[in-house]
Amino acid sequence: MSHPRSRRSSRLGLAALALALGTAAPRLAHAQGEVYGSEDLTSAPRLASPAAAARLIVRSFPDELRRQSVGGTVQLQFVIAPNGRVEPGSVEVVTAPQQALGAAAKAVAEKLEFVPGKKDGSTVRARVVMPIVYKP
């Protein structure tokens, strides 16, 4: 049985997550192929399952910080591969109010699945900036 506060946290985190998915860093050259920013895509990446992402976020909230009512927004940046998976090693914590929240958010990002971004009908690598919101 989920707690009303958890559901509210999920919705708030998911709303922030959805708003920021369209924001991406500028296009970058990379050895594995070009990484595109949102301005270069004809279709931006989106979460394959927003509900699954919300569950991952709620479950990742560090217990000690939840007990202390410490939350906040972690900004992440990472690359989504053409298969919709987050590329290993690409997740960077841009900002985090607490180190433990940054680590938790980074672990969540590595598990997320996306409908990949497209450029001219082909799936491509895309860099996204995404907030993960933890509300105690």
Side-chain angles (χ1 to χ4, degrees):
M1 180 173 180
S2 71
H3 188 275
R5 180 175 275 171
S6 294
R7 285 192 302 269
R8 186 177 70 229
S9 295
S10 296
R11 286 189 299 260
L12 292 172
L14 189 57
L17 181 106
L19 288 174
L21 273 178
T23 306
R27 182 171 37 167
L28 302 172
H30 191 278
Q32 297 177 4
E34 199 156 8
V35 177
Y36 294 91
S38 62
E39 69 280 357
D40 299 314
L41 300 173
T42 51
S43 177
R46 65 182 190 282
L47 286 166
S49 174
R55 284 190 299 274
L56 284 170
I57 292 167
V58 168
R59 290 179 187 151
S60 74
F61 199 139
D63 289 334
E64 183 63 25
L65 294 178
R66 187 187 312 267
R67 279 194 294 277
Q68 295 174 5
S69 294
V70 174
T73 300
V74 178
Q75 291 287 337
L76 299 174
Q77 177 175 263
F78 52 87
V79 176
I80 300 169
N83 67 1
R85 302 293 304 206
V86 174
E87 290 188 2
S90 73
V91 182
E92 298 175 31
V93 176
V94 178
T95 61
Q98 297 279 329
Q99 185 177 8
L101 288 178
K106 186 174 181 178
V108 165
E110 292 169 349
K111 297 174 185 173
L112 295 175
E113 293 184 31
F114 294 83
V115 174
K118 291 186 178 182
K119 180 171 175 60
D120 303 324
S122 297
T123 58
V124 295
R125 297 172 72 222
R127 181 169 304 279
V128 297
V129 175
M130 184 174 98
I132 304 271
V133 179
Y134 291 100
K135 294 253 182 206

